[in-house]
Amino acid sequence: MGDMSTATLPRTLRLGDLEVPNPVVLAPMAGVTNAAFRQLCAEQGAGLYVCEMITSRGIVEGDRTSLSMLTFAANETFRSVQLYGVDPQTIGRAVEILCADHGVDHVDLNFGCPVPKVTRKGGGAALPWKDTLLGEILEASVKAASPYGVPVTMKTRKGIDDDHLTYLDAGRIAQDTGCAAIALHGRTAVQHYSGRADWDSIAELKAAVDIPVLGNGDIWEAADAIRMVEETGCDGVVVGRGCLGRPWLFRDLAAAFAGEQVVGLPRLGEVAAVMRRHAELLGDLMGEERGCIEFRKHIAWYLKGFAAGKDVRSRLGMVSSYADLDELLARLDPTEPYPLDELGTPRGRQGTPKKVSVPDGWLDSRDMIAPIDPDAEDGTSGG
């Protein structure tokens, strides 16, 4: 546990007037963090569960896909949405629509996306390099949200690459524009999800600003979250890939931050029960068949490291009804212990370091000369 006593661990997370009963945030993940997965996580432990990333243009233009993503589960205490965009006016308008028409309680702005189709036009993780533009976007968002008492936060990476770091400037700008917190993923855009996250950068940011700092990167177990808080002094943690196929990580995190004993690891029978619940929640959201099909992508994550036979695995990858699912889950050995080799290891796609595509001349200056290409904000959400 290090030499810090658990008494110094944050118990709650304060974002403006919101008090989250646990300093734990679920990172939005495309195609994963829909209302069903968020409900499943929230059943395990309290926290802030952010919906999939939605483009501001999608909201302003009333795009069906974007609006359909604004579905919230009954047990979501706080409706939390992550927006993505490049134009201050459009983002401001989108924030207003979210607050006024959708009863959203928290808006997070994403400046961390390393996907080439986004950065190539100057969006996502490339945008904070243009610090004036970043300030204008944050200012417009905070201004739109404040009449509703809704806190605005931002999520970013260290920078584009080691020669173009932006996180300390982003922290200062977030603070000056009235953001309620800033979350930092301790990697550059070049790294994607590869290599080790640099927790020192989180500590540096925490020392440089007065607003809450949330740390993100390489939290695979509850113990990692505690260590991150102890080593960096951050005010809370953001968990992404670590919870894939392991929603009970939120139960463990809740226990760890409360200074309680973390429950033992689930046996395969308990994992199968969570799988069944996940599929059912997806079915509630989109109908049984579609829910089962949507659930297929989660199977490999849930069974990672377990001895479950090839035949059962491949057949689980083709389920389209609860009856099929039940029959196959019944074939798993409920007493099989959790594979310890999987603990503390990366989950989900890591990618490899690759040069970040940015617009021509983007890195020559930090001032925005021409307006940003509206296509930098992909019109579709979920990205």
Side-chain angles (χ1 to χ4, degrees):
M1 287 292 294
D3 53 6
M4 246 170 109
S5 74
T6 47
T8 58
L9 285 177
R11 292 288 173 99
T12 61
L13 172 62
R14 210 172 171 80
L15 301 175
D17 296 335
L18 275 196
E19 183 148 30
V20 184
N22 227 334
V24 174
V25 180
L26 166 68
M29 290 176 283
V32 174
T33 56
N34 54 28
F37 187 71
R38 298 196 311 271
Q39 179 173 345
L40 185 69
C41 293
E43 286 173 358
Q44 296 286 330
L48 190 62
Y49 297 102
V50 190
C51 91
E52 296 169 272
M53 184 169 91
I54 301 180
T55 78
S56 55
R57 228 168 70 196
I59 295 217
V60 171
E61 291 167 5
D63 166 58
R64 279 228 322 268
T65 312
S66 302
L67 295 175
S68 74
M69 287 163 72
L70 292 170
T71 307
F72 299 94
N75 70 343
E76 290 192 77
T77 328
F78 303 118
R79 297 179 161 203
S80 173
V81 174
Q82 190 181 67
L83 267 190
Y84 161 68
V86 295
D87 173 62
Q89 271 179 302
T90 311
I91 293 187
R93 182 81 194 95
V95 169
E96 193 177 342
I97 293 170
L98 288 175
C99 296
D101 304 347
H102 297 277
V104 164
D105 300 297
H106 163 240
V107 174
D108 183 48
L109 298 176
N110 182 312
F111 300 106
C113 180
V115 175
K117 69 173 183 184
V118 170
T119 58
R120 190 178 297 128
K121 305 272 174 63
L127 194 141
W129 180 249
K130 301 295 185 187
D131 45 14
T132 321
L133 177 63
L134 178 67
E136 286 168 357
I137 289 175
L138 295 176
E139 206 170 327
S141 307
V142 171
K143 189 177 168 196
S146 63
Y148 301 93
V150 171
V152 173
T153 58
M154 74 170 278
K155 164 115 187 259
T156 191
R157 285 177 173 246
K158 285 172 64 180
I160 293 175
D161 54 35
D162 286 337
D163 297 324
H164 301 89
L165 297 174
T166 51
Y167 63 103
L168 292 174
D169 292 325
R172 177 180 51 77
I173 295 166
Q175 181 167 304
D176 291 349
T177 52
C179 286
I182 178 169
L184 176 62
H185 181 167
R187 287 181 170 89
T188 57
V190 158
Q191 287 178 277
H192 277 247
Y193 296 94
S194 68
R196 281 187 60 180
D198 168 21
W199 289 4
D200 290 345
S201 62
I202 298 167
E204 273 179 77
L205 181 59
K206 175 62 192 163
V209 298
D210 299 325
I211 57 173
V213 171
L214 304 175
N216 175 223
D218 296 356
I219 292 177
W220 310 114
E221 311 303 328
D224 297 329
I226 302 300
R227 199 165 51 85
M228 179 187 274
V229 171
E230 288 177 349
E231 288 180 12
T232 68
C234 65
D235 301 276
V237 296
V238 178
V239 177
R241 296 167 304 142
C243 68
L244 294 174
R246 297 175 61 202
W248 55 87
L249 179 57
F250 292 101
R251 175 198 67 189
D252 296 349
L253 286 162
F257 278 109
E260 295 161 8
Q261 195 57 44
V262 172
V263 187
L265 293 162
R267 292 182 176 273
L268 186 49
E270 294 165 74
V271 172
V274 175
M275 290 171 76
R276 179 64 172 81
R277 177 71 180 142
H278 191 169
E280 189 183 315
L281 289 169
L282 283 165
D284 292 348
L285 190 66
M286 45 186 80
E288 180 175 342
E289 186 183 6
R290 176 96 196 280
C292 286
I293 291 169
E294 182 62 31
F295 178 66
R296 294 171 182 176
K297 69 167 90 156
H298 295 271
I299 287 161
W301 289 322
Y302 277 111
L303 296 180
K304 196 166 183 274
F306 280 108
K310 259 212 190 87
D311 175 49
V312 178
R313 278 176 196 265
S314 61
R315 288 188 52 197
L316 276 167
M318 297 186 288
V319 289
S320 50
S321 71
Y322 297 149
D324 289 353
L325 182 61
D326 289 339
E327 194 259 316
L328 291 163
L329 292 177
R331 295 191 194 184
L332 301 173
D333 171 6
T335 62
E336 189 188 329
Y338 197 85
L340 296 177
D341 290 355
E342 289 304 322
L343 298 180
T345 60
R347 305 176 77 78
R349 290 198 303 265
Q350 288 173 268
T352 46
K354 41 185 161 303
K355 193 172 181 302
V356 181
S357 10
V358 292
D360 284 344
W362 187 256
L363 300 174
D364 300 348
S365 147
R366 297 201 61 174
D367 295 325
M368 199 63 224
I369 295 157
I372 204 161
D373 184 337
D375 288 343
E377 178 181 348
D378 199 15
T380 56
S381 294

